[in-house]
Amino acid sequence: SVILFTPPKEYHEIPLLFMHYLLKKNQQHVYYLGTNVNFDVLDAFIKINKAEFLFFHVITNLTHDTIDNYLMQLTQHFSDQKIIMSGMLTQTVSVKAKNLHLLHSLKEMIAFGKEDIKLA
């Protein structure tokens, strides 16, 4: 299953809605948390609803932290999940983690949403 969300202070919902549509169309189990989801809410949700993938989309970073710090927190805390990030900020990511996969383009997002989503 896949959890869809955006990080705190990210309110761009259309990419999440699009991914939700693609995944549901392809019979994937999806939890839609929406936009502006803080870490504590995500952590509590995952403790109750196990998921293989955490998918989030970031266009702007209005926090006072870097996207790399956010990704480090996600990849370390949710080491049992595959973290999938898409959006314009993927171009600025320097974090390398075995459970992190970046989707750099709309084409890659569509492929993730349409295919059997078993990423290495």
Side-chain angles (χ1 to χ4, degrees), residues 64-78:
H64 297 291
D65 203 358
T66 68
I67 195 65
D68 282 344
N69 286 341
Y70 183 72
L71 284 170
M72 289 299 294
Q73 183 182 18
L74 280 180
T75 57
Q76 290 173 1
H77 189 77
F78 301 113

Side-chain angles (χ1 to χ4, degrees), residues 11-75:
Y11 297 97
H12 292 91
E13 189 169 27
I14 291 175
L16 285 187
L17 293 171
F18 178 64
M19 184 56 69
H20 184 261
Y21 166 76
L22 287 176
L23 292 168
K24 292 297 276 185
K25 183 178 179 210
N26 290 287
Q27 289 81 42
Q28 298 297 326
H29 189 228
V30 180
Y31 296 106
Y32 187 88
L33 296 186
T35 62
N36 190 35
V37 176
N38 71 42
F39 189 85
D40 293 336
V41 169
L42 185 61
D43 187 40
F45 188 84
I46 290 171
K47 286 179 181 171
I48 296 168
N49 302 285
K50 302 297 181 200
E52 184 179 358
F53 296 95
L54 303 180
F55 175 92
F56 71 101
H57 189 91
V58 181
I59 294 174
T60 57
N61 182 10
L62 299 177
T63 65
H64 297 291
D65 203 358
T66 68
I67 195 65
D68 282 344
N69 286 341
Y70 183 72
L71 284 170
M72 289 299 294
Q73 183 182 18
L74 280 180
T75 57

